[in-house]
């Protein structure tokens, strides 16, 4: 996975790339697909037939890919192996398309979201205090099965690499495996974000059989703390059992923990439990005062606590048998200040070595409206699930037009316009969490008050009313 990101960065930083790719946009009527996709498949040897125009495009694409590989000492045979999975080739097409449309920017903007987080239903079997979706009962206008399948078609045409089905609790939706299977058949990498209580051995097997490759399971502390936050007695043991079943089935398992003042001291214990359970990742989630979280604003940790936590997570990465990640954009800034060799993100940890800063600026901290967007159960589109600002709806809008030209997304991609964060030397690798700025101040260009460099904004929080 690290090598794929390095190749992406090498392509982005190749000065000849944009000029070479200007004529690769659009579709080929003869070959029946997007020219970029056909050219990549042909160049990498995954396709043996193409019209002369697409074969010519493949020659250009191959030169660009080879240049990206040379930047990180990766030959074409290694590249072919790394991009064997169709979803990685979708990501590569998105990188190339992004250069053609947006140019080489800091941070990088792909031609389509790498990831879409989709709250497929707001029905849920738990009652979490910090739930961004205020989940419990389904909305009356949630997308039907046919509408959801059509939306997957639209996301595929857009070029989305990953769909993460979330909620609510996605496993209570009866057609969930029909949707995951359909997305996987399109060459999209499929993830499910769940509370884990419903993952029996049988459900874990069905997940894997129906195209799910990755499962994120929430665990907000040890037994007493977790159950107090999740609102249902006995849910801790069911969640841990769900984690065991997912690991046993061979799914890629990430345990997520929303860190608050109530469970901050338990992070090492939860990490230790994750190591024993054999999961792949532990991910610290920022607390964001949205949904039911607006009722417990006091739960947020201080900037100093967040800084201490991020430093601990970063250093622990070098001794743990699992990867430790965070949704806090400041994690990359902490990495640079620690002068380590890992670029930490909430997608994955990249072993960067001497290219730490180069890769950090490519990945670029907060990805809301830049690397991903979110879809609500009724089809409304937001910059991310924690960012309750509607920018469109899948029932009504052209998704490619929205991604390329929506003014909110454009603002979120421009780190120079941010108040406070925009003058920081780390703005391209961090830029602060835009959802936190929006939910605290009602303005996504304001500073993220959770950063130690924005201490005075943290002090102002008690004097303002958090956005309703």
């Amino acid at each position: 996975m690290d090598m794929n990101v390095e190749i992406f960065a090498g392509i982005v930083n190749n000065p000849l790339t944009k000029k070479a790719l200007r004529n690769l946009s659009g579709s080929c009527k003869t070959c029946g697909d997007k020219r970029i996709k056909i050219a990549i498949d042909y160049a990498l040897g995954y396709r043996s037939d193409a019209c002369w125009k697409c074969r010519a495009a493949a020659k250009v694409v191959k030169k660009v890919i080879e240049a990206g590989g040379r930047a990180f000492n990766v030959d074409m045979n290694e590249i072919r192996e790394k991009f064997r999975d169709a979803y990685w080739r979708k990501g590569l097409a998105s990188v190339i398309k992004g250069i053609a449309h947006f140019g080489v920017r800091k941070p990088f903007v792909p031609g389509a979201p790498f990831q879409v987080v989709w709250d497929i239903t707001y029905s849920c079997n738990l009652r979490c205090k910090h739930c961004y979706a205020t989940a419990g009962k389904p909305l009356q206008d949630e997308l039907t099965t046919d509408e959801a399948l059509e939306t997957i078609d639209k996301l595929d045409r857009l070029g989305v690499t990953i769909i993460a089905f979330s909620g609510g609790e996605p496993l209570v939706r009866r057609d969930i495996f029909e949707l995951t299977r359909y997305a996987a058949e399109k060459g999209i990498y499929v993830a499910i974000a769940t509370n884990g209580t419903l993952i029996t051995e049988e459900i874990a097997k069905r997940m894997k059989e129906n195209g799910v490759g990755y499962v994120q399971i929430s665990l907000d502390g040890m037994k007493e703390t977790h159950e107090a936050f999740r609102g249902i007695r006995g849910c801790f043991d069911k969640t841990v059992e769900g984690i065991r079943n997912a690991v046993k089935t061979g799914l890629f398992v990430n345990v997520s923990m929303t860190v608050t003042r109530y469970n901050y001291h338990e992070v090492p214990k939860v990490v230790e439990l994750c190591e024993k359970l054999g999961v792949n990742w532990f991910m610290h989630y920022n607390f964001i005062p949205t949904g039911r979280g607006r009722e417990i604003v006091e739960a947020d940790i201080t900037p100093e606590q967040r800084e201490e936590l991020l430093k601990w997570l970063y250093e622990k990465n070098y001794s743990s048998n699992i990867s430790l990640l965070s949704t806090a954009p400041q994690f990359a800034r902490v990495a640079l200040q620690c002068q380590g060799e890992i670029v930490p993100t909430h997608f994955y940890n990249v072993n960067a070595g001497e290219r730490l800063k180069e890769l950090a600026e490519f990945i670029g901290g907060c990805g809301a409206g830049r690397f991903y967007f979110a879809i609500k159960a009724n089809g409304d589109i937001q910059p991310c699930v924690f960012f309750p600002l509607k920018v469109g709806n899948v029932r009504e809008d052209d998704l490619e037009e929205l991604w390329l030209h929506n003014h909110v997304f454009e603002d979120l991609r421009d780190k120079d316009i941010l108040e406070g964060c925009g003058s920081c030397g780390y703005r391209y690798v961090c830029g602060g969490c835009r959802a936190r700025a929006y939910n605290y101040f009602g303005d996504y260009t304001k500073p993220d008050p959770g950063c130690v460099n924005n201490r005075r904004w943290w002090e102002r929080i008690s004097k303002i009313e958090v956005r309703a």
Side-chain angles (χ1 to χ4, degrees):
M1 189 174 289
D2 294 356
M3 188 182 294
N4 296 77
V5 179
E6 292 173 350
I7 295 167
F8 288 164
I11 291 171
V12 170
N13 290 313
N14 172 16
L16 300 177
T17 300
K18 186 178 180 182
K19 183 178 180 180
L21 299 175
R22 283 175 182 169
N23 299 319
L24 295 185
S25 60
S27 297
C28 175
K29 293 181 180 180
T30 303
C31 296
D33 210 334
K34 291 188 175 181
R35 179 155 283 131
I36 288 178
K37 180 178 182 299
I38 297 165
I40 289 172
D41 287 355
Y42 193 87
L44 293 177
Y46 298 112
R47 181 183 181 124
S48 58
D49 62 315
C51 71
W52 71 269
K53 288 184 178 180
C54 288
R55 291 198 304 271
K59 290 182 180 180
V60 175
V61 167
K62 186 175 181 180
K63 289 180 180 179
V64 171
I65 294 173
E66 287 174 338
R70 283 196 298 273
F72 290 93
N73 298 314
V74 183
D75 65 29
M76 281 298 289
N77 288 330
E78 291 177 286
I79 291 173
R80 287 190 188 96
E81 182 62 30
K82 287 295 178 181
F83 286 95
R84 182 172 298 278
D85 291 323
Y87 57 83
W88 274 115
R89 298 202 297 279
K90 278 181 175 285
L92 180 56
S94 186
V95 168
I96 293 173
K97 182 180 174 184
I99 298 166
H101 280 283
F102 303 115
V104 178
R105 299 172 60 169
K106 290 185 179 181
F108 178 67
V109 181
F114 282 150
Q115 180 179 29
V116 168
V117 181
W118 185 352
D119 292 341
I120 198 64
T121 182
Y122 289 129
S123 180
C124 191
N125 59 329
L126 300 184
R127 297 292 182 272
C128 306
K129 291 182 179 180
H130 57 318
C131 179
Y132 66 80
T134 319
K137 296 181 179 180
L139 301 178
Q140 291 184 345
D141 60 345
E142 291 187 354
L143 298 178
T144 65
T145 299
D146 286 344
E147 287 177 319
L149 292 171
E150 184 180 354
T151 298
I152 293 171
D153 286 336
K154 292 179 179 179
L155 296 175
D156 177 49
R157 288 195 295 271
L158 178 60
V160 171
T161 307
I162 303 166
I163 295 178
F165 292 98
S166 186
E169 174 48 58
L171 292 178
V172 305
R173 181 154 166 155
R174 292 181 180 180
D175 60 359
I176 185 62
F177 294 129
E178 179 180 355
L179 302 180
T180 60
R181 183 173 62 254
Y182 189 72
E185 289 171 352
K186 296 282 186 180
I188 296 171
Y189 188 77
V190 178
I192 283 184
T194 168
N195 60 46
T197 59
L198 303 178
I199 304 180
T200 61
E201 287 189 24
E202 176 60 27
I203 291 296
K205 290 177 182 177
R206 289 186 66 191
M207 291 168 73
K208 190 168 186 178
E209 290 169 355
N210 287 280
V212 178
Y214 171 109
V215 58
Q216 177 175 295
I217 301 174
S218 302
L219 192 64
D220 289 316
M222 303 308 287
K223 186 178 179 65
E224 183 177 345
T225 304
H226 178 77
E227 293 184 357
F229 239 66
R230 295 276 158 175
I232 302 292
R233 287 186 178 275
C235 68
F236 176 84
D237 292 336
K238 289 183 178 179
T239 295
V240 172
E241 185 62 21
I243 294 171
R244 288 196 178 98
N245 290 332
V247 170
K248 181 179 179 181
T249 306
L251 293 164
F252 190 102
V253 181
N254 169 32
V255 170
S256 63
M257 180 179 182
T258 300
V259 177
T260 67
R261 60 183 292 190
Y262 305 114
N263 62 7
Y264 179 81
H265 62 288
E266 293 187 2
V267 172
K269 293 181 181 178
V270 175
V271 169
E272 183 180 0
L273 176 59
C274 289
E275 291 171 335
K276 291 179 179 177
L277 291 171
V279 308
N280 302 90
W281 290 352
F282 167 88
M283 185 180 294
H284 151 238
Y285 263 74
N286 262 336
F287 170 79
I288 299 176
T290 189
R292 277 199 286 268
R294 292 197 300 268
E295 301 171 10
I296 54 168
V297 179
E298 76 286 349
D300 205 354
I301 59 177
T302 67
E304 288 76 19
Q305 287 175 317
R306 182 172 285 99
E307 191 79 358
E308 179 184 38
L309 173 62
L310 294 178
K311 287 180 179 178
W312 184 84
L313 290 171
Y314 188 77
E315 292 169 359
K316 182 69 174 175
N317 262 307
Y318 290 95
S319 60
S320 180
N321 61 359
I322 64 175
S323 289
L324 310 177
L325 304 93
S326 173
T327 64
Q330 292 84 11
F331 206 13
R333 188 256 303 156
V334 166
L336 290 173
Q337 292 176 330
C338 288
Q339 297 183 330
E341 296 184 348
I342 297 174
V343 178
T345 77
H346 63 279
F347 285 117
Y348 33 73
N349 289 337
V350 182
N351 290 316
E354 295 179 356
R355 295 184 179 271
L356 183 69
K357 189 172 188 296
E358 182 179 330
L359 282 169
E361 290 187 343
F362 165 76
I363 296 166
C366 179
R370 186 179 60 86
F371 268 5
Y372 51 78
F373 64 66
I375 303 175
K376 293 180 63 174
N378 65 358
D380 285 348
I381 298 171
Q382 302 177 168
C384 88
V385 293
F386 301 103
F387 201 145
L389 176 62
K390 179 181 175 180
V391 297
N393 186 283
V394 298
R395 287 176 168 132
E396 305 163 359
D397 291 289
D398 181 317
L399 298 189
E400 181 158 4
E401 177 69 19
L402 187 78
W403 181 253
L404 296 179
H405 303 297
N406 180 265
H407 74 93
V408 174
F409 288 169
E410 269 301 307
D411 285 348
L412 293 170
R413 296 162 184 167
D414 187 350
K415 305 301 182 182
D416 293 326
I417 68 171
L418 303 177
E419 185 173 353
C421 295
S423 60
C424 177
Y426 295 99
R427 64 188 177 279
Y428 300 133
V429 303
C430 172
C433 173
R434 296 300 95 213
R436 284 174 56 82
Y438 183 76
N439 284 287
Y440 272 115
F441 304 116
D443 182 346
Y444 52 73
T445 66
K446 291 289 185 182
D448 175 353
C451 179
V452 289
N453 295 330
N454 293 328
R455 192 67 176 78
R456 65 186 183 89
W457 288 88
W458 173 259
E459 293 168 353
R460 290 176 56 180
I461 287 175
S462 60
K463 302 176 184 179
I464 66 172
E465 181 180 350
V466 174
R467 179 179 173 83

